Amino acid sequence: MLSINPKEISTAKLHAYMLGTIAPRPIAFASTVDTDGNPNLSPFSFFNCFGSNPPILVFSPARRVRDNSIKHTLENVQATREVVINVVSYAMVQQTSLSSVEFPKGVDEFVKSGFTAIASEKVRPFRVKESPAQYECIVKDILYTGKEGGAGNLIICEAVMVHLHENILNDAGRVDPHKIDLVARMGNDYYCRASGNAVFEVAKPNARPAIGYDAIPEFILRSELLSANNLGQLGNVEHIPDAAAVEQIKSSSMVQDILIRMHQDREGLINHLVLLAKDLLTQHQVENAWKVLLLAEEMQTTAP
């Protein structure tokens, strides 16, 4: 284990460790204007939402580590108290990266990066037409965390108008993660794409009681075939299936196939049942996985 005292290493090195381990981070593609109305556009990965009533977004254009300078976005926000936060999809990530080039003050990053500027309804900064979701915001406060290079400047914004492309919504009117196809920042030059195989579901446990990890039988806990995530799924049920339910799963075709194929190999039979349960967990069939595991435990205890 590498243990680090932040005060005993360089800011640049600590910065790299933090960006590599606190990830992936959503990207705030911030559009601002200066007091003369000149647009500025820049991405920031120190960003998230922190409330919905009122809708609060916070991002931080931190001081540059190398020379302690501040960014045009911060200067503009300090002067105008307005910003549009656009989200970044995979289809626009390369252009977004291009906008992060440190062009001289007054240069229009919309033009330099090839994005389309469209007028906002309630604030002066423009929106990015290509962004699948755009938040017009007024700045409620700015918290300055320090005066040295790497210090954060937390811009606390309230969204006063939200724009969503309709093609990111599913039939129920909710945002489809595959359709919006967001990207997020990792460390160094790495990004990740929040769609395809990167998207998975974890059932929220707060809607009902759960038995907990400590209620899982020792046979299951000791299995080398089940991961910690598998065990977490098993602990997130209201109750363990009873003997009748276990008997019922025994007659299913998936279990019968294993019982027939492995009838002369008790250890192999048990392992195959556990692997079946693991596969059921990946399909979110947690109750059936429980039944199969309890059947495997039963056969383990009755093995000759």
Side-chain angles (χ1 to χ4, degrees):
M1 174 69 70
L2 175 62
S3 299
I4 299 168
N5 183 336
K7 297 184 181 301
E8 296 177 355
I9 65 170
S10 70
T11 300
K13 195 166 187 178
L14 178 62
H15 184 76
Y17 282 139
M18 292 181 69
L19 296 190
T21 58
I22 303 173
R25 300 179 306 282
I27 302 170
F29 199 17
S31 168
T32 58
V33 294
D34 63 17
T35 52
D36 295 323
N38 297 311
N40 180 266
L41 187 61
S42 188
F44 301 94
S45 68
F46 291 172
F47 163 63
N48 220 309
C49 56
F50 291 87
S52 54
N53 187 21
I56 298 297
L57 308 178
V58 180
F59 73 103
S60 175
R63 287 177 172 267
R64 295 183 178 92
V65 173
R66 67 174 184 275
D67 61 5
N68 195 25
S69 58
I70 65 172
K71 299 174 181 177
H72 299 147
T73 298
L74 178 60
E75 294 175 348
N76 291 348
V77 163
Q78 289 171 328
T80 67
R81 314 295 287 191
E82 294 179 342
V83 61
V84 175
I85 296 178
N86 308 274
V87 303
V88 179
S89 67
Y90 182 76
M92 56 187 287
V93 66
Q94 293 290 350
Q95 288 175 270
T96 301
S97 177
L98 177 58
S99 75
S100 67
V101 171
E102 292 179 14
F103 297 108
K105 186 174 177 62
V107 170
D108 188 342
E109 283 88 0
F110 278 96
V111 174
K112 286 292 188 183
S113 56
F115 284 116
T116 308
I118 53 176
S120 296
E121 295 184 17
K122 295 192 175 184
V123 298
R124 284 167 288 178
F126 297 97
R127 295 180 281 136
V128 176
K129 181 180 180 180
E130 292 80 2
S131 171
Q134 309 137 16
Y135 292 81
E136 298 183 25
C137 299
I138 56 173
V139 175
K140 306 291 287 185
D141 200 2
I142 304 175
L143 300 180
Y144 305 94
T145 66
K147 297 181 179 180
E148 303 299 325
N153 304 290
L154 277 63
I155 299 175
I156 302 172
C157 312
E158 179 180 344
V160 293
M161 183 64 68
V162 182
H163 306 271
L164 305 176
H165 283 206
E166 292 185 355
N167 61 7
I168 68 172
L169 305 177
N170 61 22
D171 292 340
R174 298 188 178 186
V175 176
D176 185 317
H178 302 284
K179 291 181 177 181
I180 194 169
D181 199 10
L182 295 174
V183 295
R185 284 291 278 121
M186 309 289 283
N188 299 310
D189 292 338
Y190 294 105
Y191 287 71
C192 70
R193 186 177 183 179
S195 66
N197 292 334
V199 176
F200 58 93
E201 294 181 79
V202 176
K204 291 184 179 180
N206 56 1
R208 49 176 173 69
I211 62 168
Y213 192 98
D214 57 327
I216 299 173
E218 194 68 22
F219 165 78
I220 299 173
L221 286 175
R222 290 199 316 268
S223 173
E224 296 181 355
L225 300 176
L226 299 174
S227 69
N229 279 332
N230 294 148
L231 298 176
Q233 288 177 278
L234 294 170
N236 190 24
V237 297
E238 290 186 65
H239 54 79
I240 296 174
D242 58 20
V246 176
E247 189 63 27
Q248 176 266 330
I249 200 74
K250 189 184 297 185
S251 62
S252 68
S253 59
M254 58 184 175
V255 171
Q256 280 295 312
D257 178 66
I258 294 173
L259 295 178
I260 293 170
R261 286 190 296 110
M262 309 299 297
H263 72 280
Q264 292 184 327
D265 180 1
R266 181 57 64 98
E267 182 178 351
L269 186 152
I270 293 168
N271 285 341
H272 275 71
L273 287 173
V274 174
L275 289 171
L276 170 61
K278 186 179 182 74
D279 185 55
L280 290 170
L281 288 171
T282 65
Q283 300 173 45
H284 305 287
Q285 297 186 42
V286 181
E287 185 174 358
N288 281 338
W290 258 111
K291 295 174 186 177
V292 172
L293 287 170
L294 292 173
L295 176 61
E297 180 186 33
E298 177 186 307
M299 294 191 165
Q300 171 74 20
T301 57
T302 59

